[in-house]
Amino acid sequence: MLQSILRAFLRALVTLFLAMTFTFVILRVSGDPLHSLLPIETPPEVVALMRQQWGLDQPLYIQYFAYLGHLLRGDFGTSLLNGQDALTLVLSKVPATLELMGAALILAFGAGVPFGILAARNRGGLIDRFVMALAVLMHSLPNFLIAILLIQLFAVSLRILPSGGGSTVAHLVMPVLVIGLYNAGIIARFVRSSVLEVLGQRFILAARAKRIGESALLWRHIMPNAALPLLTMLGFLVGGMIGGAAVVESVYAWPGVGRFLVSSVAQRDLNIVQTIVLLITATMVTANLMIDCLYILADPRLRHRASA
């Protein structure tokens, strides 16, 4: 079991390193950031001085090794726009994103799991078809489209919610609905498939032969076994929510990391973009690593295989 956890940890480190390297290279080969940061009328000698000051006049491999050296010392660089510490600026946006992601995750599981179970227990019926059609619809519509429709409904027509910002709980409602309901559709479909797979197992037939009640059967036998595949999906779900947050936060002007990433990319603030990508990658890698470890601990078959 320890070897399996160590392998997962090594994969996480390799993934983090590759994401960091890819981001660094792409940002620099995609164009000179000074063209976006400095006015067009800036004198050439000033541009050359700024390029030298930021190390952009060095070959790419020298810039890369210098960046690695700074990272090893815990230095993520400074913002090219205002000279402030990049990590401090990014971390200041994290609480707003955590608030949004936490509320959206609660909504996604709170709606997706019950509806998935309901659809599975009414397989082939009207309820099953309705729930699955709704799940597919929520998963198929783009986040930005749902966000705009909710603004039109609640902010423009009904005027009961603010259209953007992040100062009150009311500002949180629409972003949470967009991200939460989108992922609830994914969870509902996945839970339905997992529950149906468990319902076909022999131990469920044996439990029913013993006349175990449906409620006890669901929570003691079906859900513990159906929840194992859900752990695997949770890592991908977290990654998808982080990616979708960039769009939703931009639409609703939510002061989180996603919106900060979009604005930093547009302004070509290299150190800020690198720090955000590294932070998001580390979050996703850590989430998947924890889920891999939980899966090994929760599944007796994997524990036996790892110890064999």
Side-chain angles (χ1 to χ4, degrees):
M1 182 171 62
L2 181 60
Q3 291 180 352
S4 299
I5 295 176
L6 287 176
R7 282 197 296 267
F9 182 72
L10 289 176
R11 287 197 301 268
L13 289 179
V14 171
T15 302
L16 190 61
F17 175 77
L18 292 177
M20 176 194 66
T21 303
F22 179 79
T23 304
F24 182 90
V25 173
I26 289 299
L27 285 175
R28 279 154 180 79
V29 301
S30 60
D32 190 347
L34 294 179
H35 293 161
S36 301
L37 294 171
L38 299 177
I40 300 178
E41 63 275 8
T42 303
E45 57 273 14
V46 175
V47 175
L49 180 62
M50 297 299 292
R51 185 176 287 110
Q52 181 181 4
Q53 180 181 348
W54 290 334
L56 299 175
D57 59 331
Q58 300 293 328
L60 185 61
Y61 71 93
I62 294 181
Q63 295 184 47
Y64 177 69
F65 286 116
Y67 175 64
L68 287 181
H70 285 93
L71 280 183
L72 292 176
R73 296 194 300 269
D75 181 11
F76 289 79
T78 57
S79 170
L80 302 183
L81 288 175
N82 52 35
Q84 297 184 36
D85 182 69
L87 183 60
T88 302
L89 286 174
V90 173
L91 291 180
S92 67
K93 308 292 183 180
V94 169
T97 296
L98 289 180
E99 182 182 4
L100 177 59
M101 293 296 99
L105 198 61
I106 292 173
L107 176 60
F109 275 92
V113 172
F115 277 102
I117 296 173
L118 183 65
R121 298 186 69 176
N122 295 273
R123 181 180 184 181
L126 182 61
I127 295 178
D128 182 22
R129 290 196 293 269
F130 174 76
V131 171
M132 286 301 99
L134 188 60
V136 171
L137 178 64
M138 294 307 301
H139 180 54
S140 301
L141 291 175
N143 278 344
F144 71 89
L145 178 59
I146 301 177
I148 293 173
L149 291 176
L150 290 183
I151 290 175
Q152 180 64 35
L153 175 62
F154 292 112
V156 178
S157 299
L158 299 178
R159 297 185 179 181
I160 58 176
L161 291 174
S163 60
S167 57
T168 66
V169 176
H171 292 90
L172 187 64
V173 174
M174 286 194 287
V176 168
L177 284 176
V178 174
I179 300 176
L181 292 180
Y182 177 86
N183 289 280
I186 303 175
I187 294 174
R189 295 170 63 188
F190 198 87
V191 168
R192 177 184 180 273
S193 300
S194 298
V195 170
L196 287 177
E197 183 178 354
V198 174
L199 285 174
Q201 301 297 321
R202 292 183 178 179
F203 70 89
I204 296 297
L205 299 177
R208 281 179 170 161
K210 295 178 182 178
R211 296 184 178 180
I212 296 178
E214 287 296 318
S215 178
L217 183 67
L218 175 65
W219 297 111
R220 293 181 186 176
H221 299 280
I222 297 176
M223 286 310 299
N225 289 276
L228 286 175
L230 196 60
L231 283 176
T232 305
M233 190 201 69
L234 184 59
F236 298 100
L237 190 67
V238 170
M241 292 180 72
I242 294 175
V247 177
V248 175
E249 287 183 1
S250 298
V251 173
Y252 289 110
W254 182 261
V257 176
R259 184 189 177 203
F260 194 31
L261 174 61
V262 173
S263 62
S264 298
V265 170
Q267 295 168 337
R268 301 281 296 164
D269 199 343
L270 301 185
N271 290 329
I272 296 294
V273 176
Q274 290 168 177
T275 303
I276 293 176
V277 172
L278 195 59
L279 178 65
I280 291 176
T281 305
T283 302
M284 295 173 61
V285 166
T286 302
N288 281 281
L289 179 61
M290 293 176 60
I291 290 167
D292 286 342
C293 296
L294 288 174
Y295 204 93
I296 293 173
L297 295 173
D299 195 337
R301 296 168 298 180
L302 292 181
R303 291 202 304 269
H304 176 73
R305 189 183 308 166
S307 60

